[in-house]
Amino acid sequence: MVPPPPGSWNRDMASNPSSTWRAAGDNTSGSPLRTDSDPAARAQYRLYHEILKFRDDNPRITNRAVAERFGVKSRTVENIQTRRSYYEKPPLPDSTVPPSHTAEPRATSDTGQASLQSQHAPPNLPSPTDGKLKLPIRVSPAPPRTLELPSYARGRARPRSSSEAQTAPPTSSLETQPAVVQTPVRPFSPAGKANQKARYELGKWPAQPVPGPQPSAQLPLPPQTPQIPQKNSLASSHYSPRRLGDEVLEYLHKKGYSKTEAMLRRESTYQDPEGRPIFHSLTDQGGSKYFRSYDLIKEWILTDNLEVYKTELKRLLWPLFVYCFLELVGEFYPRDSEQFFAKYRGMFEREHPDDLRALSSISLPEHAQSNEVAKLYRGSKYRLSISLMAFSTMLEFLETHREDGGTVILNVIQNRINLFTMDRNKSSEYSLSAIMAKGTTDLEMPGEDEGIPGHYPGSANTSVNAPEVLTRLALGPAHREQELMEDVRAELLEEDAKNPPLPGRNTLVEEMSKTIKQEPDEDTPNRDAVPLPPSTARDVAMEVQKIKENRDRFPIPLRSGGVGPGVSVVMYTFHNTHGNINCVEFSGDLNLVAAGTAESYIRIQTLDGSPLPSQTDKQSTSTRRLIGHSAPVYGLSFSPAATPPQNSPAHYPPNATNARVLLSASSDKTIRLWSLDTYTCLVNYKGHDKAVWDISWGPFGHYFVSASSDKSARLWSSDHIAPLRIFAGHDNDVVCLTWHPNGAYVFTGSDDRTVRMWDVARGTAVRLFTGHTEHITAISAAPNGKLVASADTAGSIIIWDITTGRRKKRMRGHGKGGIWSLDWSVESSVIVSGGADDTVRVWDVPLQTPDSMSSQPGAGAAGGKTNADVQGAQKVGGESSAAAAAAAAAAGQQQAKTGAKKGKDVFVTPDQISCFPTKKSTVYKTAFTRQNLVLAASAFMP
């Protein structure tokens, strides 16, 4: 076989890319069909090029779908991808393709093989041969190719006509063999198959006869141009969806399927001529209806509504956002749900970061079924209280815009939200005066009853059908045993005789009558419910010393008017800690300070630097380490103590009023009791399943309570190794706690942003306080037993009324990072706080101004801002708040001089009396003594 000349090819090779020969040196020119002069061949190349381009543009579409689109076989699509280099170049225009010459096969051999040779000679001239065969052929620049025909295709020549027989020249003996036939190649034969398969496919087509030897021989038949079917036959006018639907309806009518026919006719009325659905209402538009509906209510509340209603109606946006998002997920609109969540989540990043973080991973119904936050919202209704007038205004607006999305919002409110309407009483927080006093800066502050599932304000019963009745509490002072009070009275009489009081002061006996309740009443807790061990001489000495300290204290008036007394703070700073300290605690006798460290030990030292007393170690030092925990220590508590008397009676035991033991809580899940006489561990209490965050002795000793990461608090007795009560009900870690002054109740603060009040005797929750927008970090009960204060990581302090369970006021001034310590003055009129913003702040609790519930922007120190233009002299409760305004302005100027940190937007309420900034010292502990002196402990962190 003679190899083809350089650059030569023919159409048979183009139709069968698996051919042996290729154009010499042609590696990038693509398929020869690209430059073929035959229009049908170029059309075939264009088709293959379009298939390859469409396949590259749509990688997700299967080969079968591509084949159906272009009317070819799936194998053809696969072979086109395999021979990408043949068809990747765009086809040339017809004007750029030069004419070519097609060769006709003329010679055969006795072996049945036909030679297709191309010669470089002018058309219609004899081909140079060896003299044995001279046939007039038309020359083509295509390379020669030999194809072996099947046996059944050999000799099947078309009968010649009489004209052809007369003009035919004489032939040689070779013409007696079966004639060579030019067989057209199938337009869509699979490329890349073996030659044997290609020859078999060629044999399936009808053979064409060999034309006569005359110069005007008939040209071979050109390849058939493929007929590309339509993408969808129903898209034609003959089979339009409308006509097809009519034919189906006619068929159903003939067969008597009347119900099916009626249903189909109903559905057909909501379709256009192309078969697409026509939406007559917003509720039929799939996931987009929630976008339009939420935009409708949001724009109305924030821009088109009256200012007096924005405060309470804005609280409705969060539950609507959550439930619209969950509806999109439940109705299987994953892309719409993601877009909806990303579009509106920015409005709630500050108040609900944890819920947003939990909901962000939901995109499918299966995710919502396994997500804890989603299950909480889907399983309960969100409770919210608004005024009756605001509710009526909103309802009228939604009814007016039913077709624009009002129906969707009404359905969500009806099925997912419990709305409670309140009357605008003069004394209500929903009154016009109260709403206007709040301003616009507390819009993110939730109500006491708001939440999921929500509750009646103050009630710990979160059931939907819970009665609007609060549990009766006994908040009065505890009644002590009669023998103890008689011994204390005798000691006080003897002390009054030795040291008479100064003129104008009460005697110790008179002071005892004012502070200690002699006879029990209905407001006194039952002493038998929480039994205490029999009193000892140490208890008598403690009670006497407490009465002395209470009489000789530095008085703080109940109403300071915002100016307040000149409170001073004694700061104890730890150096060279390298961030190792987790907690600090002062002893009640003002003699010791203890620090819990991240290295699992406790460091104890005296406040005045004197040596620590020890019964076992002769060499005294001013500091000691208590080693026993195997993880960081996060909580400390000294046993109840009092300052030692100047002249202790002879019958008092040694160090009668000093702290005797120390409790420590660690993340190793244990609580340890340490002796302050031998500095050794006495008891190791185990019961919590996770880390223990806080620990506190009861007001009378013997009992203590712990808070843990296992979402529970536990009541312990020093003489029992197992807990006596388990207070379970929080949804997250319990991080802080405090006792009620009468020892009958315990308050716990949790990362679920709630404060719960527990009955020690029954072990049940009796109050639930909600309203914080961040994690709670500190909590403290007032000595009068009527108020409790809690602080969070946002720098806010909320005062709660225990009896009603409602929020009394909110104070702001600390920077972000957390308020880590709170304490009350003896009169329950002043609070001192310290936190991560390196400041100690003093607050006026009784001051009631409109600014107590709102915040005023200004300039301040340590991340704080104080408004020098506090709203003038506003009359509140018959008293002028001009003094409060002046005090706040003065505090802001003083703080600005101490070095204000620019760029931080922190608000300070006018009820802040004073601020004491430190120099890079994080405040861990603040405490009022019984004489109204303020102690604070910090760690210097350069």
Side-chain angles (χ1 to χ4, degrees), residues 621-865:
T621 59
S622 61
T623 180
R624 283 184 177 271
R625 288 188 178 186
L626 305 181
I627 301 176
H629 284 290
S630 59
V633 179
Y634 289 101
L636 296 171
S637 181
F638 284 98
S639 59
T643 55
Q646 296 180 355
N647 298 319
S648 179
H651 58 275
Y652 280 4
N655 302 323
T657 60
N658 291 356
R660 304 296 299 275
V661 291
L662 172 69
L663 284 170
S664 62
S666 170
S667 59
D668 62 2
K669 311 176 187 178
T670 64
I671 303 167
R672 290 181 179 265
L673 181 67
W674 305 85
S675 171
L676 298 180
D677 295 330
T678 61
Y679 303 101
T680 58
C681 179
L682 302 178
V683 185
N684 185 14
Y685 301 94
K686 297 181 180 180
H688 284 288
D689 298 331
K690 295 184 179 180
V692 185
W693 300 130
D694 200 6
I695 193 78
S696 179
W697 279 103
F700 308 111
H702 188 65
Y703 297 105
F704 61 91
V705 66
S706 60
S708 172
S709 179
D710 60 6
K711 306 179 184 179
S712 70
R714 306 193 182 212
L715 178 70
W716 307 77
S717 175
S718 56
D719 56 353
H720 286 73
I721 197 67
L724 305 179
R725 297 285 188 275
I726 297 178
F727 305 122
H730 284 287
D731 297 328
N732 212 326
D733 294 16
V734 182
V735 296
C736 55
L737 51 85
T738 189
W739 284 82
H740 190 272
N742 62 15
Y745 304 99
V746 171
F747 298 90
T748 57
S750 170
D751 281 345
D752 63 4
R753 306 175 189 176
T754 64
V755 176
R756 292 178 183 260
M757 182 180 181
W758 306 87
D759 189 333
V760 174
R762 295 180 296 174
T764 58
V766 292
R767 289 290 187 273
L768 175 60
F769 307 97
T770 57
H772 281 282
T773 59
E774 297 290 344
H775 299 311
I776 299 174
T777 54
I779 189 171
S780 180
N784 62 9
K786 298 179 181 179
L787 303 173
V788 63
S790 57
D792 57 27
T793 56
S796 300
I797 302 174
I798 299 181
I799 310 298
W800 307 93
D801 190 328
I802 299 177
T803 303
T804 61
R806 291 186 175 271
R807 180 177 59 241
K808 186 174 182 180
K809 66 184 304 185
R810 182 189 190 191
M811 304 180 296
R812 287 195 287 181
H814 279 280
K816 287 189 175 181
I819 300 175
W820 294 350
S821 181
L822 291 174
D823 203 10
W824 294 76
S825 65
V826 177
E827 296 85 0
S828 303
S829 60
V830 173
I831 287 180
V832 61
S833 62
D837 63 346
D838 305 340
T839 63
V840 176
R841 299 176 187 260
V842 183
W843 307 89
D844 185 7
V845 176
L847 180 63
Q848 294 294 330
T849 66
D851 303 319
S852 299
M853 298 298 294
S854 62
S855 53
Q856 302 294 333
K865 280 192 175 183

Side-chain angles (χ1 to χ4, degrees), residues 321-356:
F321 165 77
V322 174
Y323 287 117
C324 287
F325 169 71
L326 293 178
E327 290 294 334
L328 282 170
V329 174
E331 295 177 10
F332 204 79
Y333 295 109
R335 182 172 300 179
D336 291 338
S337 63
E338 293 178 2
Q339 295 176 356
F340 184 89
F341 190 83
K343 182 178 180 179
Y344 302 109
R345 67 175 298 174
M347 301 170 55
F348 313 103
E349 288 283 359
R350 181 178 179 183
E351 185 176 347
H352 304 279
D354 296 335
D355 290 348
L356 289 174

Side-chain angles (χ1 to χ4, degrees), residues 253-473:
H253 180 72
K254 289 181 179 180
K255 294 297 182 179
Y257 300 118
S258 56
K259 293 184 178 180
T260 307
E261 178 189 1
M263 184 182 301
L264 183 58
R265 288 186 184 278
R266 244 185 346 261
E267 295 177 356
S268 302
T269 56
Y270 298 100
Q271 292 182 354
D272 59 7
E274 298 298 330
R276 293 186 295 266
I278 300 176
F279 301 112
H280 293 275
S281 63
L282 182 66
T283 56
D284 300 330
Q285 295 187 12
S288 61
K289 64 182 178 183
Y290 292 101
F291 287 87
R292 294 183 57 185
S293 302
Y294 193 80
D295 284 333
L296 175 72
I297 189 67
K298 180 176 72 71
E299 293 299 326
W300 177 73
I301 292 177
L302 299 182
T303 60
D304 301 335
N305 195 19
L306 295 178
E307 289 290 338
V308 70
Y309 300 135
K310 287 184 180 180
T311 303
E312 44 190 323
L313 288 177
K314 189 179 178 183
R315 306 302 312 170
L316 190 63
L317 294 178
W318 165 251
L320 287 177
F321 165 77
V322 174
Y323 287 117
C324 287
F325 169 71
L326 293 178
E327 290 294 334
L328 282 170
V329 174
E331 295 177 10
F332 204 79
Y333 295 109
R335 182 172 300 179
D336 291 338
S337 63
E338 293 178 2
Q339 295 176 356
F340 184 89
F341 190 83
K343 182 178 180 179
Y344 302 109
R345 67 175 298 174
M347 301 170 55
F348 313 103
E349 288 283 359
R350 181 178 179 183
E351 185 176 347
H352 304 279
D354 296 335
D355 290 348
L356 289 174
R357 192 179 305 110
L359 294 174
S360 62
S361 60
I362 299 176
S363 59
L364 296 174
E366 294 79 5
H367 301 165
Q369 294 175 2
S370 59
N371 188 281
E372 294 297 331
V373 176
K375 287 172 20 178
L376 179 64
Y377 277 91
R378 291 163 62 93
S380 304
K381 288 188 176 182
Y382 195 94
R383 178 181 176 121
L384 184 65
S385 296
I386 61 176
S387 63
L388 182 59
M389 185 60 67
F391 175 75
S392 302
T393 305
M394 179 191 67
L395 189 62
E396 180 181 359
F397 171 79
L398 295 177
E399 289 285 350
T400 307
H401 298 79
R402 294 183 65 92
E403 300 299 328
D404 299 329
T407 303
V408 177
I409 300 298
L410 286 174
N411 291 338
V412 173
I413 293 176
Q414 180 179 1
N415 299 326
R416 299 295 187 179
I417 301 176
N418 274 336
L419 276 182
F420 291 84
T421 57
M422 311 291 291
D423 293 333
R424 290 188 181 275
N425 301 327
K426 291 184 178 181
S427 59
S428 172
E429 64 173 324
Y430 298 100
S431 63
L432 291 177
S433 58
I435 292 177
M436 297 302 295
K438 290 180 181 180
T440 59
T441 56
D442 270 358
L443 294 179
E444 76 281 359
M445 193 172 183
E448 295 93 340
D449 62 338
E450 179 181 346
I452 178 74
H455 63 102
Y456 181 75
S459 175
N461 191 347
T462 59
S463 175
V464 178
N465 300 322
E468 297 183 359
V469 179
L470 299 179
T471 305
R472 185 180 176 277
L473 304 176

Side-chain angles (χ1 to χ4, degrees), residues 92-373:
L92 295 175
D94 294 339
S95 59
T96 61
V97 180
S100 59
H101 307 284
T102 305
E104 293 183 0
R106 270 296 179 264
T108 59
S109 61
D110 53 358
T111 58
Q113 294 182 350
S115 298
L116 304 179
Q117 300 180 357
S118 63
Q119 306 293 336
H120 295 278
N124 301 326
L125 293 179
S127 176
T129 61
D130 55 359
K132 295 182 181 180
L133 179 63
K134 295 181 181 180
L135 296 177
I137 61 173
R138 300 185 64 181
V139 181
S140 171
R145 182 184 175 196
T146 300
L147 296 178
E148 181 180 0
L149 298 180
S151 58
Y152 58 82
R154 298 174 185 172
R156 295 169 58 185
R158 176 175 59 87
R160 297 184 181 183
S161 61
S162 58
S163 59
E164 292 176 352
Q166 294 175 2
T167 58
T171 60
S172 63
S173 60
L174 293 177
E175 287 186 289
T176 58
Q177 301 295 331
V180 177
V181 275
Q182 174 70 28
T183 307
V185 182
R186 293 183 63 186
F188 302 104
S189 60
K193 298 297 182 179
N195 291 333
Q196 182 179 0
K197 178 65 177 177
R199 291 192 298 270
Y200 177 78
E201 292 291 339
L202 287 172
K204 290 184 180 181
W205 288 78
Q208 300 296 333
V210 177
Q214 64 273 17
S216 59
Q218 185 178 358
L219 295 176
L221 294 176
Q224 298 180 4
T225 303
Q227 297 284 339
I228 302 177
Q230 296 289 337
K231 181 178 179 181
N232 187 0
S233 60
L234 295 180
S236 61
S237 59
H238 184 70
Y239 292 104
S240 63
R242 175 68 66 181
R243 181 168 180 178
L244 181 62
D246 294 341
E247 293 178 359
V248 173
L249 290 173
E250 183 179 356
Y251 173 79
L252 295 175
H253 180 72
K254 289 181 179 180
K255 294 297 182 179
Y257 300 118
S258 56
K259 293 184 178 180
T260 307
E261 178 189 1
M263 184 182 301
L264 183 58
R265 288 186 184 278
R266 244 185 346 261
E267 295 177 356
S268 302
T269 56
Y270 298 100
Q271 292 182 354
D272 59 7
E274 298 298 330
R276 293 186 295 266
I278 300 176
F279 301 112
H280 293 275
S281 63
L282 182 66
T283 56
D284 300 330
Q285 295 187 12
S288 61
K289 64 182 178 183
Y290 292 101
F291 287 87
R292 294 183 57 185
S293 302
Y294 193 80
D295 284 333
L296 175 72
I297 189 67
K298 180 176 72 71
E299 293 299 326
W300 177 73
I301 292 177
L302 299 182
T303 60
D304 301 335
N305 195 19
L306 295 178
E307 289 290 338
V308 70
Y309 300 135
K310 287 184 180 180
T311 303
E312 44 190 323
L313 288 177
K314 189 179 178 183
R315 306 302 312 170
L316 190 63
L317 294 178
W318 165 251
L320 287 177
F321 165 77
V322 174
Y323 287 117
C324 287
F325 169 71
L326 293 178
E327 290 294 334
L328 282 170
V329 174
E331 295 177 10
F332 204 79
Y333 295 109
R335 182 172 300 179
D336 291 338
S337 63
E338 293 178 2
Q339 295 176 356
F340 184 89
F341 190 83
K343 182 178 180 179
Y344 302 109
R345 67 175 298 174
M347 301 170 55
F348 313 103
E349 288 283 359
R350 181 178 179 183
E351 185 176 347
H352 304 279
D354 296 335
D355 290 348
L356 289 174
R357 192 179 305 110
L359 294 174
S360 62
S361 60
I362 299 176
S363 59
L364 296 174
E366 294 79 5
H367 301 165
Q369 294 175 2
S370 59
N371 188 281
E372 294 297 331
V373 176

Side-chain angles (χ1 to χ4, degrees), residues 884-900:
Q893 295 175 1
Q894 180 181 1
Q895 295 165 13
K897 293 179 181 179
T898 60

